[in-house]
């Protein structure tokens, strides 16, 4: 059995590289958040594009204050409390509907 890297369909010339979005809604900085940031940096070091997608303004501020421009950040707030969102809500959220 062999593993095959999926083709990147994002940008021309990026064959073999991935676009990875890491979702976060951290309220207090901790171990999982540090791990996620280091994971994003490791992906970037291998030539992939890794972006922390912050679902709250608080998480965006925490990552921005601690990592600055060393990792890509996007603030994408949810329309309501993310813990109350079901599958279809998340699907609409990420499809832009």
């Amino acid at each position: 059995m062999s593993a095959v890297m999926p083709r990147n369909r994002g940008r021309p010339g990026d064959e073999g590289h991935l676009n990875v979005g890491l979702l976060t809604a951290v309220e207090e900085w901790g171990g999982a958040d540090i791990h996620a940031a280091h994971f994003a940096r490791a992906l970037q070091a291998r030539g992939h594009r890794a972006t922390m997608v912050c679902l709250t303004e608080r998480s965006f501020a925490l990552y921005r204050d601690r990592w600055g421009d060393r990792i890509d950040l996007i603030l994408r707030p949810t329309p309501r409390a993310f813990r109350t969102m079901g599958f279809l809500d998340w699907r609409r959220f990420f499809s832009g509907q």
Side-chain angles (χ1 to χ4, degrees):
M1 181 176 223
S2 64
V4 177
M5 183 75 73
R7 291 184 190 263
N8 182 325
R9 297 184 185 151
R11 294 174 288 181
D14 280 351
E15 286 78 20
H17 291 154
L18 302 173
N19 289 323
V20 179
L22 301 162
L23 302 179
T24 181
V26 61
E27 294 298 321
E28 297 296 326
W29 193 253
D33 314 305
I34 295 167
H35 175 74
H38 284 284
F39 181 55
R41 296 278 295 160
L43 288 169
Q44 290 171 344
R46 292 180 175 246
H48 304 295
R49 182 174 181 208
T51 304
M52 296 302 301
V53 180
C54 302
L55 301 176
T56 66
E57 290 185 22
R58 174 82 174 139
S59 61
F60 183 81
L62 287 169
Y63 274 94
R64 183 194 60 223
D65 293 347
R66 284 166 175 77
W67 288 90
D69 61 356
R70 293 178 289 164
I71 58 175
D72 293 334
L73 295 174
I74 294 175
L75 174 59
R76 179 80 161 87
T78 56
R80 63 177 198 263
F82 66 89
R83 287 183 177 87
T84 66
M85 293 175 62
F87 174 77
L88 292 177
D89 298 319
W90 284 108
R91 185 174 174 189
R92 282 190 288 275
F93 177 74
F94 286 111
S95 69
Q97 296 180 7

